[in-house]
Amino acid sequence: MTTPLTPPVFKKPSPASIAISIVVAVGAALLGASGLYTDLLWFSQLGYNEVFTTEIAARVGLFASAAILMAAMVWGSFFIAFKTRPIYLKFPDERDPFGVYRQALDQLRKVIMWALPAVLGVMGGLAASREWATALAWLNRTETGQTDPQFGLDISFYLFDLPFYAGLVSYVSAALFIAALVAAAIHLVYGNIRFNGRETRVSKAARIQIAVTAALYLLVQGVSLWLDQYATMTSSAGLFTGATYKDVNAVIPGFQILALISAVVAILFLFAAVIGKWRLPILGTALMVISSIVLGGLYPWVVQTFQVVPNERTLEAEFIKRNIDATRAAYGLDKVEVIEYAATTDAEAGALRADAQTTANIRLIDPALVSASFKQLEQYKQYYSFQTHLDVDRYTIDGKTQDTVIATRELNQAGLGDSQSWYNNVIVYTHGYGVVAAFGNQRSTEGQPVFLQQGIPSNGLLGDYEPRIYFGENSPPYSIVGAPASAEPRELDYPAGEGEANQTYTTFQGDGGPKLDNIFARLAYALKFQSEQILLSDAINSQSQILYDRTPRERVAAVAPYLTLDSDAYPAIVDGRVLWIVDGYTTSSNYPYSRASNLAAAIADSNTQETFSRGSINYIRNSVKATVDAYDGKVTLYAWDDTDPVLKTWSKVFPSSLKSVKDMSAELMAHVRYPADLFKLQRSILGAYHVTDPGSFYSQEDAWMTPNDPTTASAVNALQPPYYLTMKTPGATAPEFSIYSTYIPRSTGESSRNVLKGYLVASSDAGNQAGKVSANYGKLRLLNLPSDSIVPGPGQVQNAFNADSEVSRLLNILSQGSTKVLKGNLLTLPVGGGLLYVQPVYIQSTGETSFPLLKKVLVAFGDKIAFEDTLDAALDSLFGGDSGASAGDGLEPTDPTEPTDPGAGESPIEVSPALKAALERARLAIVAKQEALANQDWTAYGEAEEQLQKAIEDALAASR
């Protein structure tokens, strides 16, 4: 006895579930609307409403187009299949496996017919909307005027057209495949397709629909195969990036033939739809599969194995040359000036006389080590902080360019400890205060940095400027600032000095964020930041502004979404404001024949702060210089490279977002520098691509690499970072602010030879004229050392320092007890006809409040080294008693009368004669300690320690 099939029962939803669904939907809609509203307010306030509306319009347009296409194809497929169903099959029975589904489909036909296409359309639209940038770049594409060597197409085809066409074909292919599945499912459920043992019966209606859909799908696949031949231009599957001999003579013709076969098979499916015979399309499909195996795999393998491998160097020479030329052009290396530099290793007296200007600018202050010094000497309060790695810039002081180590004193709310509350974090503690800058080549007698700008209030040699840092690299998530002129200030401006009772408060006077002048804005931001206090606090008024998205890179990324940003934004005092300068790159991974490089891996070194993935690229230009005002967050984008076709394309998309270089002030131009990330990527590529002969490139007989940082033991990101210095390099006519790096032979493991092979330097000096970039800016020079010379590399020099008996003895003395030795950056300078190495040596005690003190300098030239208290003394010792130049790093004692306490900058502190005398005795005791330490005279060391302690006690008593 058979059990009758019962149709499924669909329960109606309960009122409670309907109510919950409505609440969830309304809540989601409200959150989405509030997010859109706050974004609109943010972009409008910043003046980049065009970017927001263009992106939204592009996303909506692409979503709508893709959703309609997907939904229409699925709905049409469903409708045709349902309309042509056999009407005599109504009730299910035990011999019909699809009967239950058919009856359920009959009951819910209208719902499914509209809901299924709608859901699939929304999913497809959401997936497609993410490619809004690809679509906009295609619509506004700009020709480059250069063609690829294989097909003769303009490079813009690969940069803009091919990514869009490939995405479009992939989407249409997926939509056709889904439509075919829907049609097949409907026909199967309603019996237009039946399986009876080995026999399969397909009705005429099902045959026509499936055959036509298959023909369309195969036509689209043919287009895809035709586009695949162009993808070989950026393929890394071979010996190098780009089409190889095998690709040109086997793979590309194979794609062309397969595309034609796909079109022929599509026509056969159309014949099958008319004549009702499946034999021809099935045979055609089988032929296509066999052809794909032969043409796509077997034949290229035969060509590679039996023709290329035995003659690879000869056959691939033409294509290697294509790869070399394209890679150098894509990375901006086609104009590198190669200079043969016959470096001497003999340190002769007076050798630095011709390099006196370079010697006078050698930077001894290591920006990676002195952050602790800045914190201890200039932090003042626990709620301030400095970045771990400081920045290097230059300023003109008394008509002379001075390299500086610079940082902003930023807010660190974690330092408030138990005082943290919503009111304190959002209303009171809103900004950092001031810039701190130190001379790059000076230190005090005690080994501290010599500041040229310091203090609270800020004072120094850099002039008057707006010191408040509302937008920085460590700013709070959001702050609410601003108030009517009559209101009492609530924001802590800067702390009072020692012994002062009152703090200084201020009110933000700029235009830095959206206003909270209505209930809708307050509600939207309360939802955004999940804080009811934004609605309830009486500290918020009609003049209040909310500041958020406050890091420089975050703000630039929002208003220029087409840019890849440099990992290091740096501050500069420009025209009375603190500006963050951010370098922006236009990149692509579709430049034909150019080698692909992982950007994150290329920029990783011992100083790398950024760890997130950036993907692979094979084209880059430093096309934009951006600034972010540290006070009001204003973002300005300057079109730095207006010849870049990618930037030209995006300039059409956002025509009012970019300013010309001609709008840059002279003072801003003076602080532009060649970006470090671009330089690191170029040095990585140039390690192999300095070789332009195809045969030599093939054998990799002269490949170079960046040496590991000899001052770190880390196995991760251990490459030596490049350094900024003001120096005159061979080939240059005058000293320039530059960035440089060195090369050693490429090798691995124990076979590594740490000898110098090359020295890469880029001019970072853009000049100091408004709107005019120096002709030398960005010029790359590669010093090529002769193959028969043996100049020690950084690793060898560091080993020589460590192994020298006298140096080891002195370092052991310095590291006695509770102190440790820190070795600073190992600088390499092409002076004196050779290469000079300079390394500052710091001493730091193990106490919690200690910081590094620069005490010694190591230098090396050839196989000679010197270790002295000053660079001047070390150079004289190294070069036969007289180097011929002055390093200008004479020890400068700290002036005890200089105001350093907060609030003391406006008038000098009066120091009593007793305090002055005690401080002088303390200084003399420190000097005596150092001399005793150097002589290992522990009796004198103990006496000096007692004298220092007594002097400190007297100083404390005199200061009360």
Side-chain angles (χ1 to χ4, degrees), residues 792-924:
Q796 281 191 6
V797 171
Q798 191 66 64
N799 287 336
F801 287 160
N802 297 340
D804 184 271
S805 59
E806 182 63 17
V807 171
S808 297
R809 183 183 70 82
L810 293 174
L811 289 179
N812 286 334
I813 294 173
L814 292 173
S815 60
Q816 293 287 335
S818 59
T819 61
K820 59 182 178 180
V821 175
L822 302 176
K823 296 173 183 176
N825 43 208
L826 183 59
L827 306 177
T828 311
L829 295 95
V831 295
L835 288 155
L836 171 69
Y837 286 93
V838 177
Q839 183 176 53
V841 177
Y842 291 81
I843 306 299
Q844 182 176 4
S845 69
T846 56
E848 292 184 1
T849 60
S850 64
F851 56 91
L853 298 173
L854 177 55
K855 290 296 185 180
K856 291 280 189 177
V857 180
L858 279 162
V859 294
F861 193 95
D863 59 356
K864 292 184 179 180
I865 65 174
F867 189 37
E868 301 293 341
D869 291 341
T870 66
L871 178 57
D872 258 336
L875 293 177
D876 285 340
S877 175
L878 189 67
F879 290 96
D882 180 16
S883 68
S886 171
D889 71 326
L891 301 182
E892 296 188 6
T894 302
D895 183 1
T897 66
E898 183 180 340
T900 57
D901 288 333
E906 299 176 357
S907 58
I909 297 175
E910 294 185 4
V911 180
S912 67
L915 178 56
K916 285 185 177 180
L919 290 174
E920 177 62 20
R921 285 190 287 112
R923 188 186 70 79
L924 294 174

Side-chain angles (χ1 to χ4, degrees), residues 379 381-385 411-420 425 429 474:
Q379 181 171 314
K381 295 293 183 180
Q382 74 278 8
Y383 48 78
Y384 288 133
S385 69
L411 188 64
N412 176 26
Q413 291 182 341
L416 293 173
D418 295 338
S419 297
Q420 290 193 77
N425 287 0
Y429 293 91
N474 196 39

Side-chain angles (χ1 to χ4, degrees), residues 327-388:
T327 300
R328 289 172 65 93
Y331 288 97
L333 299 172
D334 49 340
K335 296 181 181 179
V336 173
E337 180 183 357
V338 179
I339 299 172
E340 298 299 328
Y341 188 58
T344 180
T345 56
D346 296 328
E348 299 179 354
L352 301 184
R353 188 165 286 110
D355 298 294
Q357 290 176 294
T358 298
T359 308
N361 283 292
I362 296 176
R363 179 176 49 77
L364 294 176
I365 302 301
D366 185 349
L369 288 181
V370 298
S371 177
S373 304
F374 275 50
K375 289 177 182 177
Q376 289 298 321
L377 298 172
E378 288 292 322
Q379 181 171 314
Y380 292 116
K381 295 293 183 180
Q382 74 278 8
Y383 48 78
Y384 288 133
S385 69
F386 294 94
Q387 289 294 104
T388 303

Side-chain angles (χ1 to χ4, degrees), residues 485-504:
S486 59
E488 181 180 353
R490 292 189 176 95
E491 302 174 53
L492 177 69
D493 198 21
Y494 55 83
E498 295 295 333
E500 297 182 22
N502 298 321
Q503 309 282 29
T504 303

Side-chain angles (χ1 to χ4, degrees), residues 376-595:
Q376 289 298 321
L377 298 172
E378 288 292 322
Q379 181 171 314
Y380 292 116
K381 295 293 183 180
Q382 74 278 8
Y383 48 78
Y384 288 133
S385 69
F386 294 94
Q387 289 294 104
T388 303
H389 191 282
L390 308 185
D391 293 297
V392 177
D393 198 0
R394 73 283 192 197
Y395 287 84
T396 300
I397 299 173
D398 295 330
K400 178 184 176 183
T401 299
Q402 174 66 58
D403 288 2
T404 62
V405 176
I406 189 169
T408 55
R409 186 186 292 105
E410 294 200 43
L411 188 64
N412 176 26
Q413 291 182 341
L416 293 173
D418 295 338
S419 297
Q420 290 193 77
S421 64
W422 181 88
Y423 191 90
N424 272 342
N425 287 0
V426 175
I427 305 297
V428 178
Y429 293 91
T430 59
H431 60 278
Y433 196 95
V435 162
V436 177
F439 289 95
N441 61 344
Q442 296 182 26
R443 36 76 183 265
S444 69
T445 305
E446 294 79 12
Q448 300 175 5
V450 177
F451 295 108
L452 55 91
Q453 191 72 33
Q454 64 181 132
I456 298 181
S458 185
N459 62 90
L461 302 178
L462 302 185
D464 295 332
Y465 67 98
E466 171 54 65
R468 297 165 184 86
I469 312 295
Y470 283 91
F471 295 85
E473 295 181 305
N474 196 39
S475 296
Y478 73 100
S479 297
I480 297 176
V481 299
S486 59
E488 181 180 353
R490 292 189 176 95
E491 302 174 53
L492 177 69
D493 198 21
Y494 55 83
E498 295 295 333
E500 297 182 22
N502 298 321
Q503 309 282 29
T504 303
Y505 290 85
T506 188
T507 298
F508 180 75
Q509 299 296 326
D511 182 15
K515 285 194 174 182
L516 301 176
D517 54 1
N518 62 77
I519 188 61
F520 298 106
R522 293 178 70 168
L523 177 60
Y525 282 107
L527 290 171
K528 179 179 180 66
F529 292 107
Q530 300 293 296
S531 174
E532 72 283 358
Q533 300 297 332
I534 297 178
L535 281 173
L536 303 176
S537 177
D538 60 3
I540 302 175
N541 53 73
S542 61
Q543 298 299 312
S544 292
Q545 303 173 42
I546 184 166
L547 313 182
Y548 62 99
D549 290 345
R550 300 166 73 173
T551 67
R553 295 178 73 247
E554 191 175 26
R555 295 178 76 79
V556 176
V559 302
Y562 52 90
L563 293 178
T564 299
L565 300 182
D566 194 271
S567 59
D568 184 22
Y570 61 98
I573 298 178
V574 176
D575 301 320
R577 312 282 288 191
V578 178
L579 296 184
W580 293 97
I581 301 176
V582 184
D583 285 282
Y585 310 114
T586 45
T587 62
S588 176
S589 58
N590 299 300
Y591 197 95
Y593 271 107
S594 175
R595 170 184 159 181

Side-chain angles (χ1 to χ4, degrees), residues 234 236 241 323 327 331 589 594-598 616-618 685:
T234 55
S236 300
T241 301
N323 172 258
T327 300
Y331 288 97
S589 58
S594 175
R595 170 184 159 181
S597 179
N598 183 283
S616 292
I617 62 171
N618 69 355
I685 297 296

